[in-house]
Amino acid sequence: MTVASKTRALVIAAPRSGSGKTMVTLALAAALRRRGLMVRCAKSGPDYIDPAFHQAASGHPGVNLDSWAMAPDLLAAILVAQGRDADVLLIEASMGLFDGVGETALRRGAAADIAARFDLPVVLVLDVSGQSQSAAAVAAGFAGFDPAVRVAGVVLNRVGSARHREGIVAAMARAGVAVFGSFPRDPALGLAERHLGLVQAREQDGLAGYCAGLGERAERDCDVDGLLAAAGVIDCDGAGSGAAVPPPGQRIALADDAAFGFMYPHVVAGWRAAGAEIVAFSPLADEAPPDGCDACWLPGGYPELHAPALAAAGRFQAGLRDFAARWPVHGECGGFMVLGVALEDADGVRHAMTGLLGHETSFARRRLHLGYREAVLCADGPLGAAGAVVRGHEFHYASVTVPGGDAPFAMMHDALGAARGPEGGRRGRVSGTFFHLIASVDRGSP
């Protein structure tokens, strides 16, 4: 294969969440793949679910790009590595195009940062249900909001009829905004959702057919040639990505199933690039961490939906306890819940977990915990040495109901630097927190 030195790229964004960005990204990826082009996808911001959908449509693993959590050199390296052997790179935004935190230019976690830093044009997905010509005012407002961000045009979503579309297209023409296509108001185009976003790709039957159908629709109802012509260019001659954080061991047992699916691809890729081997196992299949591993990582996921099975997984629980007596074990979010004494499900039923840490959690008393976090580690452990700073985020509805008596894992701060106090727990070789790791912090980074 000839390695491309330059790759075409687009940012697929929207004014807000729920506009149809993922659906349009999948449709365009599938359409380009039908043409024989090599497509890669990326997700701007802290989203561990959408990259698996990107892989289903493009045929290749996705990555995350996060301008708040990642230092600029790491951000650029991941972007270049993802685009290097692709004809087209599609970058899907999170939330709205300009939604981020703080005032540091190009470091707010917004998709607009990616567009501006790498001079990439934006295709705006507009949910036009409940409006007509006013959609053109929205598009014009976004196009003029930041001169560093170029809006190439729009794709209309949830169009009610041909007449509805004609009125919007005419208004867009008056506003000087290109329309690259449209998708109808059709419930069949949506994807199943639950409390943390889309139902995971691994749980969706018929996903390949769904993506193929979207690709056919995009070829029919969108100007795919026009979208390709509007794309920017990334120079992919730069160095590839290194590790976002050092690997916690040389042979890492990684829980990977429907209860533990929230692992950032760039973290695993960075571990592999640093020479570590990843060995997957399934707690839901009652598998213990494999022999020969020197670290165990329990990612986030949906343990609250599988609590009875995890409580009954005696081989997994006993094997994890035995492993923790010899090697480090770390749990993120759902993994942290499983490391505790008990987990209360949505019905208020208490299920015994591993008890490697002393806390208890509940999904019955739900409260949203959401936001970027910066963590200063309290002791040496799998994420780094004491005093090291790492960035990530929280997104969960479960809460700690019994804190236990373990030492804290980290001193936590929000995205604006406000202290949140000690969080998580550590005992012996075991550590855990609701915090999802994205990258280490270089204090010298701009």
Side-chain angles (χ1 to χ4, degrees):
M1 176 186 295
T2 301
V3 177
S5 61
K6 296 187 183 299
T7 298
R8 288 172 287 185
L10 285 168
V11 176
I12 311 297
R16 60 175 177 82
S17 294
S19 298
K21 297 185 300 289
T22 300
M23 185 268 292
V24 171
T25 302
L26 299 183
L28 185 53
L32 294 170
R33 187 180 179 188
R34 279 166 51 91
R35 293 184 172 201
L37 296 176
M38 194 71 71
V39 186
R40 297 288 189 276
C41 297
K43 179 73 176 187
S44 170
D47 187 311
Y48 29 65
I49 294 177
D50 285 358
F53 286 90
H54 294 164
Q55 181 170 352
S58 69
H60 298 279
V63 296
N64 292 80
L65 303 169
D66 196 302
S67 66
W68 183 84
M70 296 174 179
D73 57 348
L74 176 63
L75 183 71
I78 294 175
L79 180 78
V80 165
Q82 186 69 351
R84 181 172 290 117
D85 59 351
D87 296 306
V88 185
L89 176 63
L90 303 176
I91 303 169
E92 181 191 345
S94 295
M95 301 176 64
L97 172 61
F98 296 104
D99 293 331
V101 292
E103 299 298 329
T104 304
L106 305 180
R107 294 300 307 272
R108 298 174 298 114
D113 296 345
I114 308 295
R117 181 177 290 278
F118 300 104
D119 191 26
L120 298 178
V122 175
V123 174
L124 205 62
V125 179
L126 296 180
D127 176 357
V128 296
S129 59
Q131 63 177 180
S132 183
Q133 289 88 347
S134 295
V138 174
F142 269 75
F145 184 76
D146 183 347
V149 177
R150 295 182 291 127
V151 175
V154 302
V155 171
L156 309 179
N157 190 29
R158 303 190 180 107
V159 174
S161 65
R163 183 177 179 182
H164 185 204
R165 184 185 188 282
E166 289 166 4
I168 298 170
V169 170
M172 291 287 180
R174 292 194 297 272
V177 177
V179 178
F180 290 115
S182 65
F183 290 85
R185 189 182 305 160
D186 183 354
L189 296 179
L191 287 161
E193 298 186 39
R194 58 164 66 115
H195 56 280
L196 295 179
L198 296 176
V199 173
Q200 294 178 92
R202 71 174 79 205
E203 300 177 65
Q204 300 241 14
D205 294 332
L207 184 56
Y210 169 80
C211 291
L214 287 179
E216 294 172 3
R217 185 179 286 274
E219 284 283 14
R220 184 176 67 247
D221 297 335
C222 295
D223 180 6
V224 178
D225 289 328
L227 286 162
L228 282 173
V233 175
I234 297 170
D235 186 346
C236 294
D237 285 334
S241 172
V245 289
Q250 285 303 299
R251 197 164 188 263
I252 305 164
L254 178 65
D256 183 14
D257 56 29
F260 299 94
F262 296 167
M263 192 70 194
Y264 283 116
H266 74 273
V267 173
V268 175
W271 288 347
R272 287 196 174 106
E277 180 184 356
I278 311 300
V279 185
F281 72 103
S282 171
L284 280 181
D286 201 13
E287 296 174 353
D291 293 337
C293 293
D294 58 359
C296 180
W297 195 277
L298 303 178
Y302 289 106
E304 62 271 23
L305 302 182
H306 302 279
L310 292 169
R315 184 170 179 268
F316 158 66
Q317 292 209 20
L320 188 66
R321 294 187 193 103
D322 181 66
F323 189 96
R326 295 170 291 132
W327 303 108
V329 173
H330 183 72
E332 289 187 322
C333 200
F336 173 59
M337 295 164 70
V338 172
L339 289 176
V341 173
L343 189 167
E344 186 181 39
D345 66 20
D347 297 323
V349 179
R350 185 177 183 272
H351 303 273
M353 293 291 110
T354 64
L356 288 168
L357 294 175
H359 62 278
E360 298 187 20
T361 55
S362 174
F363 187 64
R365 288 164 268 183
R366 287 194 274 180
R367 183 170 73 86
L368 177 62
H369 306 261
L370 174 66
Y372 279 125
R373 302 286 183 260
E374 184 171 272
V376 181
L377 305 182
C378 292
D380 294 354
L383 273 65
V389 182
V390 293
R391 282 187 168 184
H393 71 106
E394 286 188 51
F395 182 24
H396 57 96
Y397 286 90
S399 298
V400 172
T401 51
V402 176
D406 299 317
F409 172 74
M411 301 301 294
M412 207 70 69
H413 302 78
D414 69 15
L416 300 178
R420 294 176 55 86
E423 293 189 15
R426 56 186 171 86
R427 181 196 300 176
R429 295 179 174 85
V430 180
S431 60
T433 170
F434 272 121
F435 168 88
H436 287 270
L437 172 70
I438 296 177
S440 297
V441 171
D442 176 359
R443 282 303 192 183
S445 297

